[in-house]
Amino acid sequence: MKRILFTLILAAGLTWSGPARAEAPLTLMLDWFPNVDHLPVYVAQQRGYFSEQGVSVKILSPSDTADALKLAAAGKVDLAVSYEPQTVIAASRGIDVRVVGRLIEHPLTTLLFLKSAGFTAPADLNGRTIGYTVPGLMDVLMDAFARVNGIKDYQLVNVGFSIVPALSAGRVDAVMGPFKTYETVTMAAEGLEAGFFELERWGIPDYDELVFICGAQTLAGKKKQVKGFVQAVARGIDAVAASPDEALADYFKAVPDADRAVETAAFGLTRPYYASGQACDPVRWQAFADFALKHGLIEKPVAVAPLLPDLNAD
């Protein structure tokens, strides 16, 4: 009996390791409704990568396309998905944000239109009505794109999330902000052929399309958790590269209402653009900030070094 009792106690000791480690809660606000641009985040969540880093992540969608950065800067959410141009514009206005990781490392943004419109160069949009998606970003980016490419006498209209309806109904002739990897697919699903001008081919420097940002105070108070989040997302991106079909299946588990045909097609186009590493290149960021000043995206110069903290530094 003593031997049996000892064996039971030993077995219990091997299988019980004390109370479960509490996970620190983090909130992440997306830049848009959930889609395959965010797929590595959902993979990290589905596979427990966040939990292994000691964090739990609540993913939120914005009610307005400009919400994410503002709420992160104010500390209303811990993290947000934002854009390099939006971050540079915010910094020039004195908004104290930090870039802690990357999701998409090259531009996806286009000036999108119906191919039937017959536009062959940006200047063909002289005198036209042009929509934009994110106030304070895409309207400003459109103005810079227009200066570089000689578009004159155009009218800007905020279309928000309603990109395809605005184009198909003829309310606008083009929209600044749609992604070449996503809205082109949703248009095709509705029988519409997309035409677009890629920004990097028409005078806009290369930049990180989607980045993770937080407020300076959030980073100061939750650096360990933020670092854990970024490391988990990096594992999610690696998992996409290693097993894309399984990663896509994880995404559909997390977002069951997603249009499978559209999201699968968009995923195939998006995969090459997921970030190859989480560290931002300060030289490339500074080049974009200098371009932004020269072409009127910002009014005050931005030194990017304070925006790009080293999460491994003490």
Side-chain angles (χ1 to χ4, degrees):
M1 286 297 295
K2 288 182 179 179
R3 252 196 317 267
I4 293 172
L5 183 59
F6 176 77
T7 302
L8 291 173
I9 293 171
L10 178 61
L14 291 174
T15 57
W16 184 80
S17 57
R21 179 177 58 172
E23 295 176 357
L26 290 176
T27 49
L28 169 70
M29 177 159 281
L30 304 178
D31 60 303
W32 206 252
F33 56 80
N35 60 74
V36 291
D37 297 333
H38 315 119
L39 185 143
V41 177
Y42 287 102
V43 170
Q45 188 180 59
Q46 288 291 304
R47 298 193 182 187
Y49 298 161
F50 292 132
S51 294
E52 291 176 22
Q53 293 291 337
V55 297
S56 63
V57 179
K58 183 177 182 180
I59 302 172
L60 306 171
S61 298
S63 57
D64 183 87
T65 54
D67 282 350
L69 182 140
K70 293 187 295 186
L71 293 175
K76 302 297 184 181
V77 296
D78 296 311
L79 294 155
V81 177
S82 186
Y83 314 81
E84 179 177 336
Q86 186 181 39
T87 306
V88 169
I89 291 169
S92 75
R93 295 173 178 172
I95 299 174
D96 207 6
V97 295
R98 299 291 182 267
V99 182
V100 295
R102 305 189 301 165
L103 187 55
I104 301 289
E105 69 179 8
H106 294 293
L108 301 181
T109 295
T110 65
L111 182 59
L112 183 76
F113 48 87
L114 296 175
K115 194 168 185 178
S116 58
F119 303 134
T120 59
D124 292 342
L125 286 157
N126 283 337
R128 302 282 187 161
T129 300
I130 301 174
Y132 62 92
T133 57
V134 182
L137 169 60
M138 294 305 174
D139 50 339
V140 179
L141 192 57
M142 181 62 220
D143 286 339
F145 185 83
R147 291 189 192 98
V148 173
N149 290 287
I151 304 174
K152 301 176 182 178
D153 301 323
Y154 56 94
Q155 180 182 356
L156 286 176
V157 176
N158 180 5
V159 300
F161 295 110
S162 302
I163 296 166
V164 178
L167 283 171
S168 60
R171 290 199 294 115
V172 296
D173 298 293
V175 179
M176 174 60 78
F179 283 3
K180 60 189 175 187
T181 53
Y182 198 85
E183 274 73 25
T184 55
V185 175
T186 60
M187 288 177 68
E190 297 186 22
L192 302 171
E193 190 172 3
F196 55 87
F197 299 126
E198 295 171 287
L199 302 194
E200 69 275 23
R201 295 180 183 271
W202 291 93
I204 305 295
D206 187 27
Y207 62 86
D208 290 321
E209 184 67 72
L210 294 181
V211 295
F212 297 109
I213 65 163
C214 65
Q217 290 186 350
T218 298
L219 183 60
K222 299 184 177 182
K223 184 175 181 180
K224 181 180 178 181
Q225 295 91 330
V226 169
K227 181 179 177 180
F229 169 87
V230 172
Q231 290 176 338
V233 170
R235 287 184 66 191
I237 293 174
D238 290 343
V240 172
S243 54
D245 291 342
E246 293 177 13
L248 184 59
D250 286 339
Y251 170 74
F252 285 133
K253 288 178 186 176
V255 190
D257 294 333
D259 184 319
R260 292 191 172 230
V262 167
E263 299 281 352
T264 299
F267 178 56
L269 297 175
T270 306
R271 277 174 54 197
Y273 295 96
Y274 291 128
S276 56
Q278 290 301 300
C280 298
D281 180 354
V283 174
R284 190 170 70 137
W285 272 69
Q286 192 61 60
F288 186 89
D290 294 344
F291 167 87
L293 181 65
K294 179 179 178 180
H295 292 280
L297 275 81
I298 57 178
E299 296 180 358
K300 297 179 180 179
V302 171
V304 302
L307 298 178
L308 309 175
D310 181 359
L311 295 183
N312 294 314
D314 294 331

